[in-house]
Amino acid sequence: MKLRRTSAVAIATVAALGLAACGSDGGDGAAAGGNKVKVGIKFDQPGLGLKTGATYSGFDVDVANFIAAELKLEVEFVEAVSAQRETLLKTGQVKYIVGTYSITDKRKADVSFAGPYFIAGQDLLVRADDTSITGKDTLNGKNLCSVKGSTSAQKIKDEVPGVNLQEYNTYSLCVDALKSGAVDALTTDDTILAGYAAQDANKGQLKVVGNTFSTENYGVGVKKDDTEFCNQVVTALKKFIDSGKWEESVKKWLGPANYTPGAGNPPTPTCQSA
């Protein structure tokens, strides 16, 4: 399996947010020549964080761009693979991460979070003709795919010991394995699964089971104990929510999959650290 290179291949300046360059409309723009920072996002999550050529699109991209615009930052997007997120922040390789990053006590020991800005739930993606998998209690003996370093993988390990868990580096590899029959299901947040199910290449082939079994609080990851910056991000997130841009972005990117945000949305973000 070929690993994806964690590197930026294009610079998306907030001045150009417009937001055609990034394929997003999540911010009001900021003056060029501001502070340049690297920001971690996902490159392979349709509807959330997707890189297509030099274009970035999705709800998380809108969030990342809005924060940058509010703080007058010039951003360069970097791929933040799940298993590498804490390292990217601890070593200063990125200023912040917006990439379906669930807030957990374990992670708060290493990084701080501004959030939650969205509340999701763990679910299952299966082939459209599969009627044998209806929830996590039907996974015994099944081949299940998830991503290394994700909370979804850890929950399955803890709660369904009879499942054959296969951990890949990206969700797109899991989707490929599911379509080919190499695995029986993919587990992660329902937002991510809905994005894949709605892709043109997957329509009619995959379906979300629709039986969530966790609560995932998405936060913006920042360097641990950088309280000043964390509070600045919280202020930006509150404005994103209160201005109506949160709702607009959710409808734009997740609405086509008939996805409706669950209870508690939109949430009230705070700065969180262990």
Side-chain angles (χ1 to χ4, degrees):
M1 179 172 60
K2 185 177 180 180
L3 297 177
R4 299 187 60 149
R5 189 177 67 178
T6 305
S7 61
V9 297
I11 294 179
T13 62
V14 178
L17 281 178
L19 283 171
C22 292
S24 168
D25 57 1
D28 296 322
N35 296 322
K36 291 186 177 182
V37 297
K38 291 184 178 180
V39 175
I41 60 171
K42 290 298 179 68
F43 279 12
D44 69 333
Q45 292 181 352
L48 294 161
L50 183 67
K51 179 180 181 295
T52 307
T55 300
Y56 304 88
S57 63
F59 174 70
D60 276 347
V61 174
D62 284 356
V63 174
N65 280 330
F66 190 90
I67 293 168
E70 286 297 303
L71 303 185
K72 294 180 171 55
L73 301 174
E74 184 179 343
V75 303
E76 177 183 350
F77 285 130
V78 174
E79 185 176 23
V81 176
S82 293
Q84 299 174 350
R85 289 178 296 200
E86 285 81 44
T87 299
L88 289 172
L89 288 168
K90 289 167 72 174
T91 57
Q93 294 180 61
V94 297
K95 182 68 173 178
Y96 60 95
I97 292 176
V98 190
T100 57
Y101 201 1
S102 295
I103 301 170
T104 67
D105 289 339
K106 181 179 179 180
R107 287 172 176 167
K108 285 192 289 186
D110 294 315
V111 302
S112 294
F113 286 97
Y117 63 88
F118 195 93
I119 300 174
Q122 186 172 350
D123 210 324
L124 300 165
L125 187 70
V126 298
R127 289 181 289 277
D129 59 354
D130 189 339
T131 59
S132 66
I133 299 177
T134 57
K136 71 173 184 177
D137 56 339
T138 59
L139 289 174
N140 230 19
K142 299 290 187 179
N143 293 319
L144 180 69
C145 194
S146 194
V147 170
K148 294 177 182 178
S150 69
T151 54
S152 300
Q154 189 58 52
K155 279 187 173 66
I156 290 297
K157 287 179 180 178
D158 295 340
E159 299 177 14
V160 191
V163 73
N164 177 24
L165 180 64
Q166 299 182 29
E167 296 179 83
Y168 289 5
N169 280 326
T170 65
Y171 293 108
S172 55
L173 290 174
C174 281
V175 170
D176 291 341
L178 177 59
K179 291 170 69 175
S180 72
V183 299
D184 300 306
L186 159 61
T187 187
T188 187
D189 303 346
D190 54 357
T191 50
I192 300 171
L193 300 179
Y196 279 114
Q199 276 192 305
D200 289 339
N202 301 328
K203 283 182 179 178
Q205 298 184 59
L206 305 175
K207 66 180 180 182
V208 181
V209 169
N211 187 4
T212 58
F213 49 94
S214 77
T215 298
E216 304 296 333
N217 294 294
Y218 291 167
V220 178
V222 303
K223 194 167 186 178
K224 186 170 176 61
D225 298 328
D226 189 349
T227 305
E228 180 180 1
F229 182 69
C230 188
N231 284 329
Q232 290 174 348
V233 174
V234 166
T235 299
L237 289 174
K238 288 179 177 178
K239 185 173 180 179
F240 184 68
I241 292 168
D242 294 342
S243 66
K245 291 185 180 294
W246 183 96
E247 184 177 5
E248 290 174 10
S249 184
V250 170
K251 287 182 177 179
K252 177 178 180 179
W253 298 112
L254 301 179
N258 296 318
Y259 178 84
T260 302
N265 283 299
T268 300
T270 61
C271 188
Q272 303 185 37
S273 184

